[in-house]
Amino acid sequence: GGQMGPEHYGRQNGWRVDTGKPLAREEWGIPRALRDGETSTRDLVRIQCFDGSMKTVINWAGPIRSDSGEITGAIAVNEDVTALHQTQEQLRAAVRDREEILALVTHDLRSPLSAIRTLASTVALKAHKLAGGEPVRAMADNIMEIARHMSALVSDLLSVAVVRTGGATLKLVPAKATALLEKAARAARPLFARECIDFEVQVVGELPVVHVDADRILRVFANLLDNACKFTEAGGEVMLGAEALSTGVRYCVANSGPALPAEELKAMFQPFWQAGRGDLRGAGLGLSICRAIVEAHGGSIWAEAAAGKRVRICFLLP
């Protein structure tokens, strides 16, 4: 309330919310409007009011001009968004805390899971040598398989952190794009053979060397191929392809089946997406993990319609 002239800005304390830097007298909206005729919009500023209290405001300011265009004054509006800003900060802090706790717990799960797999493997081996030990060996194999699935989920949850940290956790090394493809195909072949699905690999031209975190990218291939296997009927086919483009290497995974509707193609990279919403095979994290890893590499991933295919998922590595 009350009139405030430009002379007051010398003792008005303010800090930019994005950088935390204090605003100099000449940086306020009104002095800028009077000096340069500049209109400032949506400046988010934390201010200390004349009564000593702190507020967060959106500062709008602009010059007042005469008919001849001469600057005769300026007007400013401060919109008090203190409560909204505090709520946003609390939400951000809550999300940060949740992610840190998730990362810590997930990281700590790896050792006990590894121990369970080792012990189950030892039990299976010993039971195999015992007379009548077959039921025990079968149970130990079952424990190993469950622990393997849990380990995969733990890896998925840890991968979420990749995109949150802007790729800081990536270990980038030069890798042959063809070698990555071949390794992924080799790991997936037994899976497709077991499910009686035809699996084909197509490489167009020579592929260059890419700088990647190989383990993470192989995780992307594993997720995409596992998904394709899950949603392809026996007797169907899955195609893994790669092609060199001017912008990088494009990899594609396509599978046969009824085409997905356009809205599904857009939604499928959201966390906890499930095909047709009624299918609950897995946590639905696979594709959002793929997006996190590919984007952390500076690449992009998308789903597209393809003739005679259920869907084709492509990702580009620069």
Side-chain angles (χ1 to χ4, degrees), residues 269-282:
F269 294 98
Q270 297 302 317
F272 311 115
W273 173 83
Q274 300 285 357
R277 306 225 176 271
D279 194 297
L280 298 173
R281 283 176 278 186

Side-chain angles (χ1 to χ4, degrees), residues 110-296:
R110 289 197 298 181
S111 295
L113 279 171
S114 179
I116 288 167
R117 289 173 73 177
T118 306
L119 287 168
S121 174
T122 308
V123 169
L125 209 61
K126 294 200 175 203
H128 184 62
K129 293 174 182 171
L130 289 172
E134 189 53 35
V136 177
R137 192 188 70 79
M139 278 191 282
D141 283 346
N142 201 13
I143 290 167
M144 270 196 294
E145 185 62 13
I146 292 164
R148 189 183 69 77
H149 278 301
M150 287 177 75
S151 294
L153 184 57
V154 163
S155 294
D156 279 351
L157 290 170
L158 280 174
S159 296
V160 172
V162 174
V163 83
R164 303 288 182 199
T165 53
T169 59
L170 294 178
K171 297 184 184 78
L172 298 179
V173 291
K176 289 180 180 170
T178 316
L180 281 173
L181 185 84
E182 284 166 357
K183 195 168 182 182
R186 213 163 35 243
R189 274 206 173 88
L191 180 71
F192 291 114
R194 195 169 68 232
E195 300 297 328
C196 302
I197 294 166
D198 186 41
F199 179 49
E200 192 185 338
V201 179
Q202 292 177 351
V203 179
V204 179
E206 282 286 304
L207 300 185
V209 165
V210 284
H211 285 76
V212 294
D213 185 324
D215 287 344
R216 302 282 191 186
I217 293 302
L218 288 170
R219 185 84 199 137
V220 172
F221 280 118
N223 282 0
L224 294 182
L225 291 168
D226 188 48
N227 229 35
C229 180
K230 227 186 275 184
F231 296 105
T232 306
E233 298 290 328
E237 60 178 18
V238 170
M239 194 275 288
L240 171 63
E243 185 181 1
L245 306 176
S246 59
T247 47
V249 178
R250 183 180 66 193
Y251 294 104
C252 294
V253 174
N255 62 318
S256 58
L260 281 175
E263 61 270 17
E264 294 264 321
L265 298 181
K266 285 189 189 130
M268 62 200 306
F269 294 98
Q270 297 302 317
F272 311 115
W273 173 83
Q274 300 285 357
R277 306 225 176 271
D279 194 297
L280 298 173
R281 283 176 278 186
L285 277 171
L287 291 176
S288 66
I289 298 297
C290 293
R291 185 177 71 173
I293 294 171
V294 170
E295 288 181 357

Side-chain angles (χ1 to χ4, degrees), residues 56 80-88:
T56 305
D80 186 351
V81 290
T82 309
L84 180 64
H85 191 254
Q86 280 173 347
T87 304
Q88 281 182 330

